[in-house]
Amino acid sequence: MPSTDQTHVDPASAPRSASGEDAAIIRHFTLKDLPDSFYDDPYPTYRALQSTDPIHRMPDGSLFLTRHRDLEAIYKDTTRFSSDKKVEFAPKYGDGSLLFQHHTTSLVFNDPPLHTRVRRLIAGALNPRAIAEMEPGLIALVDRLLDNMQARGNADIIEDFASAIPVEVIGNLLAIPHEDRAPLRGWSLAILGALEPFLSQEVQTRGERAVAEFLDYLRRLVADRRRRPGDADRDVLTRLIEGEGATGERLSETELLQNCIFILNAGHETTTNLIGNGLELLLRFPEQRQRLIGDPALIKPAIEEFLRYESSNQLGNRRVVQDAELDGVTVPQGTLITLCIGAANRDSEVFAQPKRLDIGRSPNRHLAFASGAHACVGLTLARLEGRIAIGRFLARFPNFAAAGPAHRARRVRFRGFTSLPVTLI
Ligand code: HEM
């Protein structure tokens, strides 16, 4: 079957009655206390939900959506589906907590007007020219990491490579001094870990502490940048401080600090996982690896396919703020919705042979960066990082091989590895 697969309707994808096995999967489905097998491979569960119960009601009354067309419709409709998370996060974190303040002030979890103001400021610094100018520095960084790994003959792809790239890129974007960057990944992981649908007291405490330490650091950095502003065309922090010029509104101190934290987090673990997941897929699918080695120009569609196949960000959320209709069913105001990107990206209504990794797939309308008003602001940068990191890694080590078991992080929202040991040949 060709992989030119615009929205063809696969009869097998229409909701059907559940087989005994699917019915059991659906009946027991919850995001709490998931078995290891789900973290290893959530796709059979997603497939069962998508083919038999695509608008699935969870035990808590919220909806779990798995179809591409439903996600697209919701992303587009910001009138009915809000990104504001105050209602959800107040009971989750406690409305006096720093985690609550952080997440409910981040642009991604807001509607206009805060969302519009902050998004405009960030997007302005991530224009195509600014990103193109980052390329030589990025190549030099990646080559330096590859040199270090080559000298040793083995590496942990996550620790030694994938996680080392985004921290430098985002650090440069906010002009964070190099010597200050070491704690950024730990803070970011702790804060993002607390976004899991269910969290332990320990994870919550770690997240709370990370926001406090991050804020403490940023207060000093911002005070310094106010005294010595950077280049507002390039430095996102200077742009956020200066706001939109004499006529524009400035961000409050809390909005400024919390959105700096968000930007540092948003481009961090997601891009680490794009690089780690992409290289792991090349280990798992040797014929696709050979195809890419034979035709390095395929790196562009390959990155899109890695994003589709193992989306770094698997889940998103919205809240219904005006009664809405989904597939003929009325969804009342107040309903919480989980959008399963990982499932939508394997929807056979949109992708032919969705279980097949095809690095030349075209078109590839995946939703790894979401779509609509909140579509990822950093997608051009993430794609560039992915292309340079994976393309140059493969050119240097075409025969890299697994050197031990890979370990996946036990998280449902952010999909990626904590460790991926390889020998480099
Ligand atoms: C592979 C890497 C990445 C993936 C998969 C990813 C994914 C996403 C997704 C799915 C959203 C939408 C969330 C929602 O509304 O539910 C988002 C938003 C966002 N991302 Fe990314 N992202 C990546 C890299 C980056 C990078 C490198 C940056 C910046 C340096 C970045 C900055 C942002 C920002 C600022 C938003 C909020 C946009 C808004 O609310 O208007 N992301 N990202």
Side-chain angles (χ1 to χ4, degrees):
M1 197 186 289
S3 63
T4 45
D5 52 340
Q6 200 65 31
T7 32
H8 81 277
V9 176
D10 178 348
S13 74
R16 55 183 169 80
S17 53
S19 68
E21 204 180 319
D22 284 359
I25 290 178
I26 293 164
R27 201 168 42 249
H28 298 297
F29 180 63
T30 152
L31 291 172
K32 201 172 183 179
D33 300 328
L34 289 158
D36 280 354
S37 57
F38 181 89
Y39 293 108
D40 289 338
D41 185 6
Y43 302 107
T45 303
Y46 292 164
R47 207 159 36 245
L49 287 163
Q50 192 175 67
S51 58
T52 60
D53 192 16
I55 302 175
H56 177 72
R57 191 165 291 283
M58 303 286 271
D60 64 2
S62 67
L63 298 178
F64 190 90
L65 307 193
T66 45
R67 268 191 317 219
H68 191 282
R69 65 174 130 119
D70 292 329
L71 267 68
E72 267 201 319
I74 287 175
Y75 283 134
K76 283 202 182 88
D77 187 350
T78 49
T79 311
R80 288 187 181 75
F81 301 99
S82 165
S83 287
D84 187 305
K85 301 287 185 291
K86 291 181 194 72
V87 172
E88 278 165 270
F89 287 170
K92 181 169 182 165
Y93 302 122
D95 59 10
S97 69
L98 287 175
L99 276 168
F100 179 79
Q101 187 196 71
H102 168 63
H103 288 308
T104 57
T105 316
S106 302
L107 78 153
V108 73
F109 296 145
N110 266 278
D111 299 325
L114 178 66
H115 171 253
T116 321
R117 278 158 57 211
V118 180
R119 186 175 170 103
R120 207 167 25 227
L121 293 171
I122 301 172
L126 286 170
N127 61 68
R129 191 169 45 96
I131 291 176
E133 283 175 15
M134 292 179 197
E135 191 162 339
L138 191 51
I139 291 175
L141 165 68
V142 166
D143 285 354
R144 228 171 22 249
L145 295 170
L146 294 174
D147 290 346
N148 291 344
M149 293 191 295
Q150 189 163 22
R152 290 207 313 272
N154 58 56
D156 185 320
I157 283 179
I158 306 304
E159 200 55 38
D160 300 322
F161 190 61
S163 67
I165 298 165
V167 71
E168 289 304 312
V169 171
I170 316 263
N172 292 344
L173 209 59
L174 280 99
I176 299 214
H178 285 276
E179 63 276 17
D180 295 351
R181 294 181 187 182
L184 297 181
R185 179 157 198 251
W187 287 334
S188 170
L189 285 174
I191 295 168
L192 293 178
L195 274 179
E196 283 294 285
F198 292 93
L199 68 164
S200 65
Q201 188 56 49
E202 187 198 342
V203 170
Q204 181 158 0
T205 306
R206 210 180 304 140
E208 192 71 12
R209 196 180 322 125
V211 182
E213 291 175 6
F214 218 147
L215 284 174
D216 214 37
Y217 170 69
L218 284 174
R219 268 187 212 105
R220 281 178 273 129
L221 187 73
V222 167
D224 187 56
R225 198 66 51 88
R226 283 191 202 282
R227 280 193 298 275
R228 289 180 293 154
D231 170 4
D233 281 341
R234 303 278 178 282
D235 167 13
V236 172
L237 181 51
T238 298
R239 288 180 74 86
L240 292 173
I241 290 172
E242 291 183 354
E244 294 165 281
T247 52
E249 248 182 291
R250 294 198 176 200
L251 301 179
S252 72
E253 190 73 3
T254 302
E255 289 168 349
L256 169 67
L257 297 173
Q258 297 293 13
N259 279 287
C260 282
I261 295 184
F262 174 72
I263 297 163
L264 280 156
N265 292 346
H268 208 140
E269 182 63 359
T270 45
T271 315
T272 297
N273 289 343
L274 162 60
I275 299 167
N277 291 346
L279 288 169
E280 191 271 343
L281 286 170
L282 293 177
L283 283 171
R284 219 190 310 163
F285 294 92
E287 77 296 346
Q288 295 296 313
R289 186 207 300 212
Q290 285 315 316
R291 207 177 150 196
L292 187 52
I293 291 168
D295 184 359
L298 281 174
I299 190 68
K300 248 182 161 170
I303 294 298
E304 301 311 305
E305 183 67 343
F306 300 152
L307 284 161
R308 179 190 78 83
Y309 203 86
E310 289 284 17
S311 307
S312 317
N313 192 345
Q314 294 267 311
L315 305 178
N317 296 90
R318 295 293 186 268
R319 189 166 47 88
V320 181
V321 285
Q322 269 180 30
D323 287 359
E325 206 184 277
L326 282 175
D327 219 24
V329 177
T330 302
V331 183
Q333 182 184 346
T335 307
L336 298 176
I337 294 184
T338 299
L339 306 170
C340 185
I341 295 173
N345 282 345
R346 294 186 181 212
D347 185 343
S348 56
E349 267 186 27
V350 176
F351 304 100
Q353 295 183 287
K355 281 163 72 177
R356 179 163 169 255
L357 183 83
D358 171 6
I359 61 163
R361 190 180 285 274
S362 173
N364 190 342
R365 293 176 41 226
H366 67 75
L367 293 171
F369 294 118
S371 89
H374 286 272
C376 179
V377 179
L379 53 82
T380 309
L381 181 56
R383 286 175 164 139
L384 179 73
E385 290 180 66
R387 281 204 300 277
I388 291 177
I390 296 177
R392 294 182 89 78
F393 184 100
L394 193 62
R396 182 85 69 106
F397 308 119
N399 299 310
F400 76 105
H407 290 287
R408 261 187 201 287
R410 268 27 203 162
R411 292 177 316 208
V412 283
R413 192 176 293 281
F414 296 101
R415 184 160 178 79
F417 293 90
T418 52
S419 161
L420 194 53
V422 288
T423 48
L424 298 167
I425 29 182

